[in-house]
Amino acid sequence: MTAQQPVLHQSPRPQTLAQKLIAAACGRAAVDEGEIVTCAVDLAMFHDSSGPRRLQPMLQELGATLWDPSKVVLVIDHYVPESDDESRRIVRIARDWAAGQQLPNVYDSVGICHVVVPQHGHIRPGMFCVGGDSHSPTGGAFGAYMFGIGSTEMLGVAVTGQIWVKVPKTLMMRWRGRLAPGVTAKDMMLRMIGRYGMNGGRYQAVEFCGEAVRALSMQERMTLSNMSAELGSQVGLIAPDETTEAYLRAAGVTQELDLTRWHSDADADAEWHDFDASTLAPQVAAPHSPANARDVDQYGDVPVQVAYIGACTGAKLEDLRAAASVLRGRRLAAGMRLMVAPASQQDQQQADQEGVMQVLREAGADVLPTSCGACAGYGGSIPDGASVISTTARNFKGRMGSETAQVYLASPYTVAASAVAGRIADPREFTA
């Protein structure tokens, strides 16, 4: 529930999870698809690229102040470590503004916003949140309504603490069965994007459900919700359960968590799509779109020179563990470069303690800083003309910095297997 609105538990008609979250945020018992309502925002997330450097001059021009600094989280993750004068300028603006505003929640150079914010317990079931980044739907993994907005919309939120939203139709993505070893949430997302395209969600609400989704860890669920942006959806929701609660308790959350309220009603109006997780093969998306996804065995003769394990979709602790399970006792193919940019310092420290980072280094990986890095085209680490296999969410032309690189998307298992083989490889050949 939101802090600003009264508790209204009883709905007069069946509601989807998306409808329940929006209704709570606008102080209603229920909302109807297509309605436009004004919602109170529980949390607004900025980062150094989207936040202070754009908001500060607009706020000054208006003579306005933040509606509630305690509900703002700033993460400095895009332009760090600063590599040039422009990066230093942007980061300095963010740091100075945070100090001037006395923001209580600032995470500077400790990892990627979509991983760092949940790790510190900021997103909980029932919340209504916005973020200044297109992958903000990551928060939906926690049973929260969270979506990305632009700078002008964020200005309105920063001043008023409110935003309007059109109540979306819900597309239910139901996954039956269980994933096979070496197959991940990243493969699930690439399959869905490959089937429906990047506008498959039609800017509606997507909810992931079914046995296979319930079996996923929180970090894997975060990958699903994160890449709902590539599916074209506003949000990517997963109903909270005991797995959600265990993660949040470990993150230091002490507030009461409602695990029963934030679920879609069984007879709520939604559009259903079914998938069988047990038959899913590892997926690879060819340049230059995540929608170019096919089974890995269709790429057996494609050579790669660079492998990248990074980003909020592909370098969390469990992603690093997956890559290490393939690379343990093996070396990179001749001429191959493997770059690993852990998603957060917390995940990297845990991976170090477990020996995971040592496995990656011994295999020949170069370990890069915990930041957005090459995923957002910063750092200049992707060479021109290279064929790259990457755990990132997007492979648009020029997305990783080089206009001439050919970028293939895959899971950490598949990226690691390909780094050993020197070509796109099926990870199941290395994990059996």
Side-chain angles (χ1 to χ4, degrees):
M1 70 181 176
T2 61
Q4 301 93 335
Q5 302 296 341
V7 178
L8 298 171
H9 287 284
Q10 298 301 317
S11 169
R13 51 194 178 277
Q15 297 274 278
T16 64
L17 174 56
Q19 288 174 305
K20 289 183 179 182
L21 292 166
I22 292 172
C26 69
R28 299 257 301 271
V31 292
D32 293 318
E33 181 186 329
E35 277 192 277
I36 295 175
V37 295
T38 298
C39 295
V41 173
D42 293 309
L43 178 142
M45 185 273 290
F46 314 151
H47 54 58
D48 49 324
S49 181
S50 69
R53 66 169 174 152
R54 304 186 191 282
L55 286 173
Q56 184 184 39
M58 294 190 289
L59 288 167
Q60 288 177 338
E61 185 176 350
L62 292 174
T65 58
L66 290 177
W67 98 100
D68 188 342
S70 71
K71 295 180 180 178
V72 171
V73 179
L74 172 64
V75 184
I76 300 175
D77 62 355
H78 274 61
Y79 285 92
V80 289
E82 303 97 300
S83 59
D84 53 36
D85 288 343
E86 180 65 5
S87 297
R88 284 186 281 273
R89 183 187 70 84
I90 292 169
V91 172
R92 185 173 62 252
I93 290 171
R95 289 170 177 159
D96 290 348
W97 186 76
Q101 296 291 324
Q102 297 183 314
L103 296 184
N105 301 306
V106 180
Y107 301 97
D108 189 343
S109 305
V110 297
I112 303 170
C113 58
H114 309 299
V115 178
V116 170
V117 172
Q119 283 181 336
H120 288 83
H122 289 292
I123 304 173
R124 301 179 297 279
M127 292 179 68
F128 187 93
C129 312
V130 297
D133 188 279
S134 60
H135 285 116
S136 296
T138 306
F142 295 86
Y145 201 99
M146 187 167 186
F147 58 104
I149 59 176
S151 297
T152 304
E153 290 176 298
M154 187 62 82
L155 174 64
V157 171
V159 174
T160 69
Q162 297 180 322
I163 191 171
W164 67 267
V165 66
K166 183 178 180 180
V167 181
K169 183 178 185 64
T170 292
L171 310 183
M172 301 290 288
M173 302 298 188
R174 178 167 52 194
W175 282 85
R176 305 181 188 277
R178 294 291 188 100
L179 294 173
V183 185
T184 71
K186 181 66 169 292
D187 300 302
M188 296 167 72
M189 277 310 309
L190 290 177
R191 168 58 65 87
M192 287 183 279
I193 298 165
R195 178 180 293 186
Y196 299 115
M198 292 197 67
N199 197 29
R202 300 191 294 279
Y203 297 98
Q204 303 299 319
V206 166
E207 183 176 340
F208 305 102
C209 61
E211 178 188 2
V213 174
R214 291 192 298 272
L216 295 176
S217 67
M218 281 312 303
Q219 288 199 337
E220 283 283 84
R221 294 180 188 188
M222 287 162 63
T223 295
L224 284 185
S225 295
N226 178 292
M227 289 190 67
S228 63
E230 277 66 53
L231 198 57
S233 177
Q234 184 181 50
V235 292
L237 301 172
I238 299 174
D241 58 14
E242 292 77 11
T243 299
T244 319
E245 182 173 30
Y247 180 97
L248 291 174
R249 296 304 182 209
V253 173
T254 58
Q255 294 97 323
E256 181 180 351
L257 301 173
D258 192 337
L259 301 181
T260 59
R261 180 183 179 190
W262 305 113
H263 288 252
S264 290
D265 295 329
D267 48 354
D269 183 31
E271 181 180 310
W272 289 82
H273 301 269
D274 285 288
F275 303 84
D276 185 352
S278 65
T279 63
L280 181 64
Q283 300 290 295
V284 175
H288 292 285
S289 171
N292 294 334
R294 295 175 290 174
D295 290 356
V296 65
D297 61 9
Q298 298 187 45
Y299 296 90
D301 296 323
V302 176
V304 289
Q305 297 84 47
V306 177
Y308 184 80
I309 295 172
C312 44
T313 54
K316 299 182 289 296
L317 176 60
E318 293 183 17
D319 301 317
L320 300 174
R321 289 171 176 163
S325 72
V326 173
L327 293 170
R328 185 170 284 107
R330 297 186 171 99
R331 294 286 299 176
L332 306 182
M336 171 65 64
R337 185 182 182 197
L338 169 61
M339 293 174 285
V340 178
S344 74
Q345 286 188 5
Q346 178 178 315
D347 281 350
Q348 181 171 356
Q349 289 165 3
Q350 181 63 35
D352 264 320
Q353 292 173 15
E354 296 178 8
V356 167
M357 297 307 299
Q358 181 179 351
V359 170
L360 300 178
R361 291 187 181 97
E362 289 177 349
D366 295 327
V367 178
L368 306 180
T370 54
S371 65
C372 291
C375 175
Y378 305 123
S381 52
I382 301 299
D384 288 339
S387 290
V388 182
I389 187 159
S390 172
T391 63
T392 53
R394 292 172 180 164
N395 58 343
F396 307 147
K397 187 175 182 179
R399 164 75 183 186
M400 297 186 75
S402 171
E403 290 285 337
T404 57
Q406 302 290 307
V407 180
Y408 297 81
L409 302 179
S411 77
Y413 283 112
T414 303
V415 171
S418 302
V420 171
R423 56 173 175 79
I424 295 178
D426 189 331
R428 295 173 296 186
E429 299 173 10
F430 296 82
T431 57

